């Protein structure tokens, strides 16, 4: 009984911190453009402010992982990153002081704030994944609770903004990351890093990074996962506009988005047996095939009745890719490098490649309209080919 209580406590501690993290991102990602517009930024300036930190993750991702490896406890670097993010986001609230330099100030401050806040996510994922294996709980449960918190925060803040000032957006974000920084010591368990036990103490940070980046198996995995995740960039940027232009109401567009998110949450919470039975290798291949099919069909502007099942394919094109990539990192990364590898994966798959895809999506939409989904199908196809090659050669790369 005591062991069950301990497992339950650890799992729920992780879930509570996921709630704090995703309640912040649920406000930041959908609504920060609204706040920037309210403070005088043009569309071009907003696009640049949002894209720069994504592109910077090519550098900031590995550096944040190397810095986090200096700490013996999982929670310590996450608390520091959350505290720094709270400071940088709060400084954005002093917009009146920046005068004609407001755009430059927002560009720098948001790049720093976003880098710090998003650095927490792969570290929390790595912590929860490793603890789930050693403590025997299902990693997907606390992670799916975080996704649900994202939806709740997005809906609640959207309702509040009907009557509240857009300034509420920034202060919601500031308060959330500040609570993460202060409460992390009490919420997250004081667990020592399991992956660092395998490291040689004489290795420098740059030696660790060279070893990791020289791993060919990880290279092909990052390419596969990065292409599959970046294939969503056009969808995130222009799906609502495409649907509205086809005659769908704003409410219907919201329901279509919700179907994908609800499916993702259900897959995380209830599909553990399926994931174990299929295994990460075959799940990545299956997800890639369905991603190609999803974007390929959407390129033809399908009717509403077909959009519903296509939205449910978000279960595979996003969630299954995410879980397969997470597990395969721990099979392909050298012992002691798992946490750093997860940070690098998040930096490239959800940072750099997504940022490039987002920046190019505007030109793709202007040139091809709904046909832009065809290019996303091609990008997912590259991910499929990479995943297939890695699967066929997996015995060469898996760490014993």
């Amino acid at each position: 009984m005591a062991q069950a209580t301990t497992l339950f406590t650890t799992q729920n501690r992780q879930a509570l911190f996921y709630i704090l993290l995703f309640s912040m991102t649920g406000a930041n990602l959908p609504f920060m453009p609204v706040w920037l517009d309210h403070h005088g930024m043009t569309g071009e300036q907003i696009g640049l402010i949002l894209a720069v930190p994504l592109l910077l993750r090519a550098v900031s991702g590995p550096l944040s992982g190397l810095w986090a490896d200096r700490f013996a406890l999982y929670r310590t670097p996450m608390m520091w990153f959350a505290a720094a993010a709270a400071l940088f986001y709060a400084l954005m609230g002093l917009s009146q002081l920046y005068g004609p330099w407001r755009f430059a100030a927002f560009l720098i401050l948001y790049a720093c704030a976003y880098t710090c806040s998003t650095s927490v996510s792969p570290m929390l994922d790595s912590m929860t994944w490793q603890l789930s294996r050693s403590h025997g709980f299902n990693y997907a449960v606390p992670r799916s609770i975080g996704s649900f918190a994202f939806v709740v925060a997005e809906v609640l803040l959207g309702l509040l903004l009907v009557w509240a000032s857009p300034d509420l957006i920034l202060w919601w974000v500031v308060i959330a990351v500040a609570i993460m920084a202060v409460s992390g010591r009490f919420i997250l368990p004081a667990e020592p890093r399991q992956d660092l036990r395998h490291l040689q103490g004489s290795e420098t940070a740059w030696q660790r990074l060279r070893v990791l980046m020289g791993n060919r198996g990880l290279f092909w995995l990052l390419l596969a996962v990065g292409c599959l995740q970046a294939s969503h960039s056009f969808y995130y940027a222009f799906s609502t506009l495409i649907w509205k232009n086809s005659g769908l109401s704003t409410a219907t567009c919201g329901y279509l988005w919700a179907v994908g998110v609800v499916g993702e949450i259900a897959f995380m919470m209830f599909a553990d047996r399926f994931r174990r039975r299929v295994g990460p290798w075959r799940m990545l291949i299956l997800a890639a095939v369905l991603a190609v099919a999803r974007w390929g069909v959407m390129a033809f502007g399908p009717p509403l009745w077909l959009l519903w099942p296509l939205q449910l394919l978000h279960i595979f094109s996003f969630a299954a890719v995410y879980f397969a990539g997470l597990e395969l990192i721990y099979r392909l990364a050298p012992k002691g490098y798992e946490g750093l590898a997860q940070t690098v994966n998040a930096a490239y798959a959800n940072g750099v490649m997504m940022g490039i895809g987002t920046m190019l999506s505007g030109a793709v939409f202007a040139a091809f309209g709904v046909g832009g989904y065809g290019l996303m199908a091609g990008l997912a196809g590259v991910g499929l080919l990479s995943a297939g090659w890695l699967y066929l050669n997996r015995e060469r790369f898996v760490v014993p």
Side-chain angles (χ1 to χ4, degrees):
M1 178 66 73
Q3 184 181 10
T5 302
T6 301
L7 297 179
F8 179 79
T9 301
T10 302
Q11 180 175 350
N12 280 275
R13 283 185 172 190
Q14 299 304 114
L16 181 55
F17 204 77
Y18 269 113
I19 289 174
L20 292 174
L21 175 62
F22 279 87
S23 65
M24 181 274 295
T25 56
N28 189 5
L29 294 183
F31 296 111
M32 188 55 69
V34 177
W35 185 88
L36 291 169
D37 175 76
H38 180 68
H39 284 265
M41 297 296 100
T42 66
E44 292 79 6
Q45 289 173 330
I46 292 173
L48 190 59
I49 290 171
L50 299 179
V52 163
L54 292 175
L55 300 176
L56 285 177
R57 292 189 73 179
V59 176
S60 65
L63 289 180
S64 66
L66 290 171
W67 181 76
D69 283 354
R70 299 172 57 191
F71 298 94
L73 300 183
Y74 289 108
R75 70 188 184 188
T76 308
M78 289 189 277
M79 293 164 54
W80 280 110
F81 272 124
L87 173 63
F88 289 123
Y89 280 124
L91 289 174
M92 291 180 66
L94 306 176
S95 61
Q96 298 300 324
L97 299 180
Y98 304 132
W101 302 100
R102 184 177 299 179
F103 167 65
F106 285 168
L107 184 67
I108 296 171
L109 290 174
Y110 187 76
C112 295
Y114 186 88
T115 296
C116 292
S117 60
T118 54
S119 294
V120 175
S121 184
M123 295 177 189
L124 183 60
D125 286 341
S126 180
M127 177 186 185
T128 308
W129 180 264
Q130 293 183 48
L131 291 183
S132 71
R133 300 169 76 184
S134 61
H135 288 248
F137 64 86
N138 183 359
Y139 161 81
V141 173
R143 178 60 175 77
S144 61
I145 291 173
S147 294
F148 182 75
F150 180 97
V151 176
V152 171
E154 183 180 21
V155 172
L156 180 57
L157 186 55
L159 293 174
L160 291 174
L161 289 175
V162 172
W163 56 268
S165 166
D167 285 324
L168 175 64
I169 299 166
L170 183 65
W171 296 117
W172 179 302
V173 172
V174 170
I175 291 171
V177 288
I179 293 175
M180 287 167 56
V182 174
S183 65
R185 187 173 186 276
F186 307 101
I187 295 176
L188 295 173
E191 291 274 355
R193 289 273 299 271
Q194 297 176 12
D195 51 343
L196 297 184
R197 292 178 300 180
H198 302 280
L199 290 180
Q200 300 292 331
S202 60
E203 284 185 312
T204 67
W206 296 113
Q207 286 173 332
R208 284 173 47 73
L209 189 60
R210 282 198 298 269
V211 169
L212 190 65
M213 301 309 294
N215 185 301
R216 292 185 61 199
L218 276 176
F219 167 81
W220 286 103
L221 179 64
L222 293 179
L223 179 61
V225 172
C227 289
L228 291 168
Q229 296 291 21
S231 71
H232 292 74
S233 57
F234 185 81
Y235 163 74
Y236 291 149
F238 291 103
S239 60
T240 300
L241 182 58
I242 290 171
W243 292 335
K244 289 182 68 175
N245 289 343
S246 69
L248 300 183
S249 67
T250 303
T252 301
C253 294
Y255 297 146
L256 285 168
W257 274 86
V259 165
V261 176
V262 170
E264 170 193 329
I265 294 172
F267 179 81
M268 290 181 180
M269 295 196 71
F270 304 115
D272 185 58
R273 181 177 297 180
F274 169 81
R275 294 196 299 270
R276 291 177 183 274
R277 184 173 182 178
V278 174
W281 293 106
R282 288 182 291 177
M283 189 162 66
L284 182 61
I285 298 293
L286 174 62
V289 170
L290 292 176
V292 173
R294 181 188 186 189
W295 307 131
V297 174
M298 290 186 73
F300 293 95
L304 178 60
W305 67 266
L306 189 53
L307 284 175
W308 300 110
L310 288 172
Q311 284 299 94
L312 283 175
L313 288 182
H314 196 70
I315 291 172
F316 293 96
S317 67
F318 172 76
V321 171
Y322 171 81
F323 276 102
L326 184 66
E327 185 169 349
L328 289 175
I329 279 175
Y330 286 92
R331 297 195 182 193
L332 297 173
K335 295 298 182 184
Y337 290 76
E338 294 93 333
L340 178 59
Q342 178 59 28
T343 303
V344 172
N345 172 56
Y348 282 89
N350 297 318
V352 178
M353 296 193 70
M354 185 67 74
I356 294 173
T358 301
M359 290 184 67
L360 297 178
S361 290
V364 170
F365 178 71
F368 302 104
V370 69
Y373 280 117
L375 295 179
M376 297 301 103
L379 185 58
V382 175
L384 173 60
L385 293 175
S386 302
W389 189 91
L390 182 60
Y391 174 74
L392 294 175
N393 295 274
R394 62 192 182 279
E395 293 184 0
R396 296 167 49 190
F397 302 120
V398 172
V399 177

